[in-house]
Amino acid sequence: MLHQSETVFQDQATKRKRRNRKVAIGSTLAAVLIIPTGAYAAMTIFGNGSLTAEAYQSQGLTVSEEHLSKKLFPGAEADLVMKVTNPNPFPVKVTQIEPTGNPTNVTAGCDLSKVSGPVGANPAYSIPVAAQQTVPGGGDAVVTIPKAVKLDLSAEKGCGFTIAIKITGTQSAAGN
């Protein structure tokens, strides 16, 4: 028969064995987790380099195949229709046209003060927002400016002229 102090001694010994086993398992687990992390940190490699960037130099839009939607006569107005080509890699929204000089090839008796639109008293013609069109990057689009030119009722019959125009646009986000 065991004395009570021996039972206490055996219980304490059993508890120490369990605690030692837990410490041993915990230490092993810690070693397994920490050692590979240390090895990984020792294998981290760094390097240096440089990056050179250059801004794109935008190119001008080109206009071709421009014409009025119909022949003008006193009191008539017409839309200006043109093909706009965009050589840039980004879309451009057309916002304005304006003459680049005085009208040429003006027919005899044609009074340009009786013409409204890009050659009239206000030579710059802002395109209404509803008519602004985006020309895709590297592509072209037909742009129509509604009611761009109008002859006054008192204008001379057969009034005609030629005018060079400049088109203005702004870079637009894709799909706008």
Side-chain angles (χ1 to χ4, degrees), residues 80 95-101 103 115-128 145-149 163-168:
L80 176 60
T95 58
Q96 184 178 26
I97 65 164
E98 59 187 309
T100 58
V115 179
S116 58
V119 295
N122 182 10
Y125 184 82
S126 293
I127 302 170
I145 302 168
K147 302 176 182 179
V149 180
I163 187 159
I165 59 171
K166 175 176 92 174
I167 189 164
T168 305

Side-chain angles (χ1 to χ4, degrees), residues 96-141:
Q96 184 178 26
I97 65 164
E98 59 187 309
T100 58
N102 292 324
T104 59
N105 302 327
V106 181
T107 56
C110 182
D111 181 0
L112 292 178
S113 68
K114 311 246 178 184
V115 179
S116 58
V119 295
N122 182 10
Y125 184 82
S126 293
I127 302 170
V129 174
Q132 290 180 1
Q133 187 170 347
T134 299
V135 183
D140 51 50

Side-chain angles (χ1 to χ4, degrees), residues 2-175:
L2 292 176
H3 189 274
Q4 186 175 12
S5 62
E6 289 177 13
T7 306
V8 170
F9 180 71
Q10 284 180 347
D11 284 343
Q12 289 174 349
T14 304
K15 286 180 182 177
R16 268 193 303 263
K17 284 181 186 177
R18 284 186 192 149
R19 189 176 18 182
N20 288 344
R21 198 175 306 148
K22 286 180 183 177
V23 170
I25 290 171
S27 298
T28 303
L29 205 59
V32 167
L33 295 175
I34 292 171
I35 291 173
T37 304
Y40 172 74
M43 292 175 26
T44 301
I45 300 170
F46 297 96
N48 293 315
S50 63
L51 170 69
T52 302
E54 183 179 336
Y56 177 78
Q57 294 293 325
S58 63
Q59 299 176 37
L61 302 171
T62 58
V63 177
S64 62
E65 303 174 25
E66 59 272 16
H67 62 278
L68 294 178
S69 60
K70 62 183 179 182
K71 288 196 177 217
L72 289 173
F73 53 87
E77 60 187 4
D79 300 341
L80 176 60
V81 181
M82 65 189 97
K83 178 181 172 184
V84 179
T85 301
N86 176 12
N88 298 295
F90 48 83
V92 173
K93 184 178 280 189
V94 177
T95 58
Q96 184 178 26
I97 65 164
E98 59 187 309
T100 58
N102 292 324
T104 59
N105 302 327
V106 181
T107 56
C110 182
D111 181 0
L112 292 178
S113 68
K114 311 246 178 184
V115 179
S116 58
V119 295
N122 182 10
Y125 184 82
S126 293
I127 302 170
V129 174
Q132 290 180 1
Q133 187 170 347
T134 299
V135 183
D140 51 50
V142 174
V143 175
T144 301
I145 302 168
K147 302 176 182 179
V149 180
K150 181 178 180 179
L151 282 182
D152 188 271
L153 275 171
S154 62
E156 183 71 29
K157 223 172 25 171
C159 182
F161 53 88
T162 301
I163 187 159
I165 59 171
K166 175 176 92 174
I167 189 164
T168 305
T170 57
Q171 182 177 351
S172 178

